[in-house]
Amino acid sequence: MDGSESDDSSHFERGVDHIYEAFICPLTKEVMHDPVTLENGRTFEREAIEKWFKKCRDGNKPPSCPITSQELSSADVSPSIALRNTIEEWRWRNDAAKLDVARQALFLGNDESDVLQALMNVRQICRSIRSNRQGVRNSQLVRMIIDVLKSNSHKVRYKALQTLQVVVEGDEESKAILAEGDTVRTLVKFLSHEPSKGKEAAVSLLFELSKSEALCEKIGSVNGALILLVGLTSSNSVNVSIVDKAERTLENMERSEEVVRQMASYGRLQPLLGKILEGDGSVSTGPAGLGSLGSPETKLSMTTFLGELSLNNDTKVYIAQTVGSSLVDLMRSGDMTQREAALRALNNISSYEGSAKLLIGIGILPPLIKDLFYVGPNNLPIRLKEVSATILANIVNIGYDFDKATLVSDNRVENLLYLISNTGPSIQCKLLEVLVGLTTCQKTVIHVVSAIKTSGAIISLVQFVEVKENEDLRLASVKLLHNLSPFMSEELADALRGTAGQLDSLVAIISEKIPISEEQAAAAGLLAELPERDLALTREMLSIGAFEKIISNVVGIRQGEIKGMRFERNFLEGLVRILSRITFAFSNETRGITFCREYNVASLFINLIQSNGQDTIQMVSAMALENLSLESINLSHMPDLPPPSCGSIFSCMSRPPVITGLCKIHHGVCSLRETFCLVEGGAVEKLVALLDHENDKVVEASLAALSSLLEDGLDVEKGVKILDEADGIRHVLNVLTENRTEKLTRRAVWLVERILRIEDIAREVAEQPNVSASLVDAFQNGDFRTRQIAENALKHIDKIPNFSGIFSNMA
């Protein structure tokens, strides 16, 4: 125990009483413990003389007396009982005297060497004669040694710790004395503040105390004790003894259920999981109770506590690996208390993908589904059905692509919808989250959509967006409706038009001035999926001021006033898609034009097409610019001219005034803000730049927007010139010759035909065989409309004879 600093023992034991020569063994030169006498009357320490006789035998010599060398007839010895009793009596008196001397020296004010000598004497006495511990207790030396722990000397504290361990070893009463007051707390403090040797002595003493079951909870109750001990077991300390003693101390303390729970709170879960396994007859994975069986009450207690713990993801996986099967078996129990404990524990570990995968493999789904839908004897109460629904929601939303077919078979979706309609908000929230998980999977979303359409449940599902007192319920409903919107956009639009409050609620969610949330992104995505040409819905959104709030958010995000890194991209995409729907309502709703003028919407979309890396925003913005541009011809107008003055004959005969500043293609007064003119807004070059985009849908939308400048009724020649000045013709021809998709080809052929109406350009293009080949391919393989347009284009470059021109000349 003492290591290199062993106790300095003298050749003879010093004490108050005189040491008689008869007490000393001639061989060991020390006071004898078990004196024995030879046949010649000489007395020796039994162990020493037996070694001498063995030496004689090994040398093939007869036994002899080591003092006289007299040969003996036998190696038999006789115990010297009287001498032994006399020596023991002397030793008792001598040790008592030593303890008295030690008591006088054990004061912090004494010289350090005297204190160390006194501590050494106590250790010697306790090691040599164990019965003298009673004398140590009676002399109150234990408390005096405890006081020495307050010394400023590391060495004194270290020796005091060693001495206390020797004193209390195997002695319950001494341990009880040591555990009085704050001594245990002092020992715990030494675990973090003492040097390595002192720390080792402190943990060794705690290990000795932990052998007493009554003191385990005492140690565990000291603030920080378990954390420090657990930390020592997981440290990379070079002192292996410290790690070992800390581990063995914790193992001893595992006998206390309260301590086991505390250990679990600090991350040492093996004892708690072991007791859960012991309760069902399994062999514990941890040291505590290895191979033994625990009581059902203990298993229930530990399982209940497991459901209350705060766990990290790695721990959840470890728990699922260790006791997952046991917990699933407990779910099937007929005892409702056990089922509740198991469900809450499973709920606690099911929210991480790694642990959820393990639970699926273990077979959690069948009993879970049964618990959720079963109605009959011993069925779960609603409060536990909520826990079952939470576990199921956790599992289906982890992103793990497992076979979810079992969750949508046997009318289970219909059962879920029924439960949603007939339960309270808490379980409704979890059931909606289950549907959210099912609608994120391509294989199961179709079944959910079918069940909702068949049952007409969309009306009741939409109503949840108005819930204000339960944010989780509202979030789940918005996410579900968002997932359904690509498949049920018309049904959703009908439902939202029916009650203005629900549409208001969605817009209010989007408008919240907080860091962008998942709910805002989902609400924006939901409204974005609704039919863009649904005029009645657009009118209702205009009436409630939705577009003003939408554009405010778009501008806020672009200016950095509204932030939210995680959901910002999806939120902005949804907002831009919602805003673009107003451009589809111009022909029937003048309020849309007024709004776009007031908020300069055309300028915003021109800026948005430059959002590199955000394909959807660029595509939608280009589509909106197409709609705005198509309206320009209706909004462009000639300026009001003053009436001619006829004051003289000459003024009446003068020429009409020359009007300047008119739009090149609309031949009227144009501006980006008032008439949405792309030419005046400088949008042509930006749209041309998108023709090199790798996303076909962005290219198609850009082509459509550029095509709006060459529509019938406009100055096509001037439009082509504007396109040429922006290097657009080259890019359009590239799109045609690349032949990327049928839609792109159709758009490009239409635009190329308009361009080739200009003779100079047609002559240049006619010399490009790849363009001619692409037009021929479109003429031969396109749809009816594309073939007609391609034919006209080929006529412009004289690849097909223009028979109508020949016939007119003949006429």
Side-chain angles (χ1 to χ4, degrees):
M1 171 66 198
D2 291 15
S4 61
E5 298 187 37
S6 60
D7 295 337
D8 299 320
S9 57
S10 60
H11 186 68
F12 296 111
E13 296 180 57
R14 297 192 187 93
V16 176
D17 281 5
H18 173 71
I19 301 178
Y20 297 94
E21 185 178 354
F23 293 175
I24 305 300
C25 173
L27 290 176
T28 64
K29 311 303 181 185
E30 293 179 357
V31 177
M32 292 181 286
H33 289 276
D34 187 9
V36 293
T37 303
L38 306 183
E39 62 183 41
N40 66 353
R42 296 282 184 174
T43 302
F44 299 89
E45 180 72 60
R46 181 187 292 273
E47 185 178 353
I49 194 63
E50 287 178 350
K51 286 182 179 179
W52 171 261
F53 288 156
K54 182 177 184 300
K55 185 177 179 181
C56 292
R57 289 195 303 274
D58 292 343
N60 293 318
K61 296 179 181 179
S64 63
C65 175
I67 302 301
T68 64
S69 299
Q70 177 185 355
E71 188 174 312
L72 303 174
S73 61
S74 169
D76 294 339
V77 295
S78 303
S80 301
I81 297 174
L83 179 59
R84 183 176 63 191
N85 291 338
T86 302
I87 291 173
E88 286 181 356
E89 183 180 347
W90 170 87
R91 181 174 276 117
W92 187 89
R93 291 196 310 272
N94 197 45
D95 287 345
K98 283 185 179 181
L99 290 175
D100 188 55
V101 172
R103 185 172 64 249
Q104 296 175 33
L106 287 177
F107 291 100
L108 293 178
N110 289 344
D111 187 75
E112 181 176 312
S113 61
D114 292 338
V115 175
L116 291 173
Q117 181 66 43
L119 292 171
M120 184 185 70
N121 287 341
V122 174
R123 291 196 299 276
Q124 286 180 334
I125 294 168
C126 288
R127 285 173 179 153
S128 61
I129 305 177
R130 313 310 294 177
S131 62
N132 264 357
R133 290 181 186 176
Q134 181 66 39
V136 173
R137 287 199 304 275
N138 290 344
S139 63
Q140 295 187 332
L141 272 175
V142 174
R143 294 184 178 89
M144 297 179 74
I145 298 170
I146 290 171
D147 285 339
V148 174
L149 294 176
K150 300 174 184 177
S151 170
N152 293 327
S153 168
H154 287 301
K155 185 173 183 179
V156 170
R157 294 198 300 270
Y158 169 54
K159 290 298 182 180
L161 289 168
Q162 287 186 324
T163 305
L164 284 171
Q165 183 180 353
V166 175
V167 168
V168 303
E169 186 176 356
D171 189 336
E172 294 298 315
E173 292 185 41
S174 293
K175 291 178 183 179
I177 295 171
L178 179 58
E180 293 174 356
D182 289 339
T183 307
V184 175
R185 188 172 69 86
T186 301
L187 298 179
V188 171
K189 182 179 70 174
F190 286 168
L191 295 181
S192 60
H193 291 85
E194 285 293 292
S196 179
K197 287 184 2 179
K199 188 179 296 185
E200 179 183 358
V203 75
S204 296
L205 182 51
L206 284 172
F207 168 60
E208 187 60 40
L209 294 178
S210 70
K211 295 177 182 178
S212 171
E213 187 171 354
L215 294 181
C216 288
E217 289 194 15
K218 172 78 174 180
I219 299 172
S221 67
V222 175
N223 185 33
L226 288 174
I227 294 178
L228 289 170
L229 286 168
V230 170
L232 289 175
T233 62
S234 59
S235 70
N236 296 319
S237 173
V238 294
N239 192 330
V240 178
S241 176
I242 292 178
V243 177
D244 177 63
K245 287 292 173 58
E247 179 66 40
R248 292 168 68 186
T249 301
L250 289 171
E251 290 174 8
N252 286 340
M253 295 173 67
E254 290 168 11
R255 290 173 293 185
S256 165
E257 290 187 15
E258 178 57 32
V259 171
V260 167
R261 283 189 281 269
Q262 290 183 56
M263 288 182 185
S265 299
Y266 300 137
R268 186 180 173 90
L269 283 161
Q270 299 94 324
L272 182 138
L273 302 182
K275 289 186 181 296
I276 292 176
L277 293 174
E278 291 168 20
D280 58 13
S282 302
V283 176
S284 171
T285 58
L290 185 62
S292 62
L293 300 182
S295 68
E297 292 77 15
T298 298
K299 176 174 182 174
L300 176 61
S301 171
M302 296 298 144
T303 304
T304 300
F305 189 72
L306 182 59
E308 301 167 357
L309 277 174
S310 177
L311 307 170
N312 63 40
N313 289 337
D314 289 341
T315 302
K316 292 175 183 178
V317 173
Y318 174 69
I319 293 171
Q321 290 172 332
T322 308
V323 297
S325 295
S326 180
L327 294 176
V328 171
D329 288 342
L330 202 60
M331 268 179 64
R332 300 185 175 98
S333 167
D335 184 275
M336 195 61 68
T337 306
Q338 293 182 345
R339 291 171 72 184
E340 178 173 359
L343 283 170
R344 296 194 183 281
L346 288 166
N347 178 36
N348 204 11
I349 65 174
S350 63
S351 57
Y352 176 58
E353 180 176 347
S355 52
K357 283 181 183 179
L358 291 168
L359 294 177
I360 293 169
I362 289 169
I364 191 175
L365 287 177
L368 197 61
I369 294 171
K370 180 182 177 182
D371 279 348
L372 196 56
F373 297 129
Y374 174 72
V375 177
N378 207 32
N379 68 310
L380 288 180
I382 288 295
R383 63 183 178 83
L384 294 187
K385 282 185 182 289
E386 179 185 343
V387 181
S388 295
T390 304
I391 299 170
L392 188 57
N394 289 342
I395 290 174
V396 298
N397 283 287
I398 59 172
Y400 173 49
D401 188 19
F402 67 96
D403 184 10
K404 298 177 183 175
T406 182
L407 299 175
V408 294
S409 60
D410 300 329
N411 296 320
R412 288 192 175 121
V413 176
E414 289 80 356
N415 290 336
L416 281 171
L417 294 172
Y418 176 80
L419 278 176
I420 290 171
S421 300
N422 293 277
T423 51
S426 297
I427 189 171
Q428 285 174 332
C429 175
K430 300 307 176 183
L431 294 171
L432 287 174
E433 288 177 4
V434 173
L435 290 177
V436 169
L438 294 176
T439 52
T440 56
C441 173
Q442 293 182 350
K443 296 178 180 178
T444 54
V445 63
I446 300 172
H447 298 278
V448 177
V449 169
S450 174
I452 292 174
K453 285 184 175 180
T454 302
S455 63
I458 194 66
I459 301 297
S460 59
L461 293 176
V462 166
Q463 292 174 358
F464 288 117
V465 302
E466 293 185 86
V467 174
K468 295 181 180 179
E469 61 278 3
N470 190 323
E471 294 181 357
D472 291 338
L473 176 58
R474 190 179 71 176
L475 171 61
S477 69
V478 172
K479 288 169 65 177
L480 174 60
L481 296 175
H482 178 214
N483 290 350
L484 293 172
S485 58
F487 308 93
M488 301 183 66
S489 60
E490 293 184 3
E491 291 86 349
L492 279 167
D494 291 341
L496 290 172
R497 282 198 310 273
T499 307
Q502 292 154 9
L503 187 59
D504 273 336
S505 295
L506 287 172
V507 174
I509 292 170
I510 292 171
S511 306
E512 293 175 356
K513 298 295 183 181
I514 57 175
I516 300 168
S517 65
E518 182 181 19
E519 184 179 31
Q520 286 181 294
L526 162 59
L527 290 179
E529 287 289 348
L530 301 181
E532 57 197 14
R533 298 183 185 276
D534 188 325
L535 182 60
L537 186 61
T538 301
R539 283 175 170 164
E540 190 163 340
M541 292 177 71
L542 279 165
S543 298
I544 64 175
F547 293 108
E548 288 84 351
K549 296 172 183 175
I550 297 298
I551 200 169
S552 174
N553 276 285
V554 173
V555 173
I557 292 173
R558 289 183 59 79
Q559 293 179 350
E561 297 171 1
I562 302 175
K563 299 179 180 180
M565 294 299 294
R566 184 178 176 189
F567 302 108
E568 181 177 314
R569 185 187 184 95
N570 290 339
F571 186 46
L572 183 58
E573 284 183 3
L575 294 176
V576 173
R577 291 177 66 190
I578 298 169
L579 185 61
S580 71
R581 73 177 294 120
I582 201 169
T583 67
F584 290 89
F586 289 153
S587 59
N588 298 292
E589 183 52 73
T590 57
R591 287 183 297 173
I593 295 174
T594 302
F595 172 83
C596 289
R597 283 172 165 171
E598 180 179 352
Y599 288 93
N600 201 5
V601 171
S603 176
L604 176 60
F605 280 124
I606 290 174
N607 289 327
L608 287 169
I609 62 172
Q610 301 171 77
S611 303
N612 295 329
Q614 301 185 65
D615 295 5
T616 300
I617 289 176
Q618 290 179 301
M619 176 190 71
V620 172
S621 299
M623 293 170 62
L625 288 174
E626 176 194 8
N627 294 336
L628 289 163
S629 180
L630 291 172
E631 191 64 22
S632 295
I633 192 172
N634 300 321
L635 301 176
S636 180
H637 62 278
M638 293 295 293
D640 296 330
L641 299 177
S645 174
C646 295
S648 68
I649 187 172
F650 299 105
S651 60
C652 293
M653 297 174 63
S654 62
R655 294 181 179 181
V658 177
I659 304 173
T660 60
L662 298 182
C663 178
K664 296 177 182 179
I665 61 172
H666 296 114
H667 297 306
V669 176
C670 276
S671 69
L672 180 62
R673 186 177 195 119
E674 296 297 324
T675 67
F676 318 139
C677 179
L678 301 186
V679 177
E680 294 295 327
V684 178
E685 289 186 356
K686 298 177 178 65
L687 288 167
V688 167
L690 292 182
L691 296 181
D692 276 336
H693 206 287
E694 62 183 11
N695 189 319
D696 296 339
K697 293 183 178 180
V698 175
V699 176
E700 182 185 348
S702 179
L703 280 175
L706 291 170
S707 298
S708 68
L709 302 176
L710 305 182
E711 286 285 346
D712 294 336
L714 303 181
D715 191 327
V716 174
E717 184 175 353
K718 294 285 180 59
V720 171
K721 184 178 180 181
I722 291 170
L723 188 60
D724 190 27
E725 289 172 352
D727 197 26
I729 294 177
R730 178 174 65 86
H731 285 83
V732 171
L733 294 177
N734 285 341
V735 173
L736 174 66
T737 56
E738 287 173 0
N739 193 25
R740 287 157 67 171
T741 68
E742 185 179 343
K743 288 184 177 180
L744 276 180
T745 299
R746 188 184 308 122
R747 284 282 189 187
V749 167
W750 186 94
L751 202 51
V752 167
E753 190 276 329
R754 297 282 165 143
I755 293 170
L756 294 179
R757 292 181 184 183
I758 311 305
E759 292 184 4
D760 292 343
I761 297 175
R763 282 195 295 271
E764 291 182 20
V765 172
E767 298 176 0
Q768 300 180 27
N770 56 341
V771 176
S772 300
S774 296
L775 288 172
V776 169
D777 182 67
F779 173 64
Q780 293 176 342
N781 301 307
D783 58 29
F784 176 74
R785 179 62 180 157
T786 301
R787 290 201 303 271
Q788 281 187 320
I789 298 172
E791 180 182 359
N792 290 336
L794 289 168
K795 289 177 181 178
H796 295 325
I797 58 176
D798 295 330
K799 299 300 180 182
I800 293 179
N802 191 344
F803 294 109
S804 60
I806 296 173
F807 293 145
S808 62
N809 290 336
M810 289 176 63

